[in-house]
Amino acid sequence: MIVCLGDLVEDVVVWLQSPIAPGTDTPATITRRRGGSAANVAAFLAALDAESCFVGSIGIDALGDRFVDEMSDLGVTMAAHRRGRTGSIVVIVSADGERSFLTDRGSASRVDPLTPRMLEDARWLHVPAYCLVEEPLASTATTAFALAKKLGVRTSVDCSSTAMLKAYGVGRFLTWLDGVAPQIVFANEEEAALLGLQHRWKGPGLLVVKHGPGPVEVIDSAGAIVRIPVLPVGKVLDATGAGDAFAAGFLQAFSNGVAAHEAVVAGNRLAARVLMVPGASL
């Protein structure tokens, strides 16, 4: 079981047909679907026939009911608190596939501490850095790492967002990261540069840095770097959820004993499928 702690929200994906015209109409195609980084990873894992569990908070509303049913139908074990209202994120996708986000978290941060029972069947705990945005989820995430370490469960962190990291504080996040000491840290090129990770990485685990269409870098605790090429894909329709798909593909392979460079290939393969469709879906 791979446990994913974090958000399950609505993604309102807006595909712009032209640049936004301030003060008037702009043609767009709008779709609504389930989102949230942790929920995405859990769903993608289930699509790979891996056992996954989502832990988070979802609203007591029709939207929350729909998403819980959808995740359960995918095969994800749901350990969700139901309170408040379900959050939403407006994802504005420009013609080149670049994304901008407008975020209303709703009750997503109102997550109680994990109990040992939630991790007793787990082999891995995955936590996006988005969990640090608000309390009590931020404290829940931190204590979850301590519990995982006690139970012998391996862990990973996704650095999530440069805007989130700046708001949280770069130095503060690096101190937190050193404290929780995950086995895997995922970052894209911009996040790694903001944090200076490639120049300071000392483990204890692996740093996995994605460079879009460029090679993925895997850096170990000794500073050794392996670069794994990314196979070209067709036209990128929407990058929403591609990083979560990469994490799912990587973790499913790596947690089963596959070497890191082969896990990167598995992650890239799943992410490529997501790039071709709207939102975080396959």
Side-chain angles (χ1 to χ4, degrees), residues 29 69 86 88 109 117 123 160 201 222 233 247-248 264 272:
T29 300
D69 290 344
T86 302
S88 297
S109 295
R117 185 173 182 180
R123 56 177 168 164
S160 295
W201 184 252
V233 298
V264 167

Side-chain angles (χ1 to χ4, degrees), residues 28-40:
T29 300
I30 300 174
T31 60
R32 296 173 179 268
R33 60 184 66 242
R34 170 192 45 77
S37 182
N40 289 341

Side-chain angles (χ1 to χ4, degrees), residues 113-139:
L114 273 65
T115 64
R117 185 173 182 180
M118 290 179 175
L119 291 180
E120 64 183 4
D121 295 324
R123 56 177 168 164
W124 205 281
L125 170 68
H126 177 69
V127 179
Y130 282 127
C131 287
L132 302 178
V133 171
E134 292 180 354
E135 293 288 358
L137 178 55
S139 293

Side-chain angles (χ1 to χ4, degrees), residues 216-271:
V216 175
E217 293 181 331
V218 178
I219 306 173
D220 66 17
S221 57
I225 303 175
V226 177
R227 294 181 174 88
I228 300 94
V230 175
L231 293 176
V233 298
K235 179 178 173 57
V236 174
L237 187 61
D238 181 0
T240 304
D244 299 326
F246 177 90
F250 183 100
L251 291 175
Q252 191 274 341
F254 192 76
S255 65
N256 280 315
V258 171
H261 69 279
E262 295 177 352
V264 167
V265 173
N268 283 333
R269 185 184 304 120
L270 193 62

Side-chain angles (χ1 to χ4, degrees), residues 2 14 22 26 35 51 53 58 62 65 68 76 100 109 114-115 118 157 167 191 197-198 204 213 234 236 240 254 277:
I2 298 178
V14 181
T26 300
E51 286 188 85
C53 174
I58 310 166
D65 293 341
V68 169
V76 178
S100 300
S109 295
L114 273 65
T115 64
M118 290 179 175
V157 169
E191 293 155 2
L197 288 178
Q198 286 126 311
V236 174
T240 304
F254 192 76
V277 295

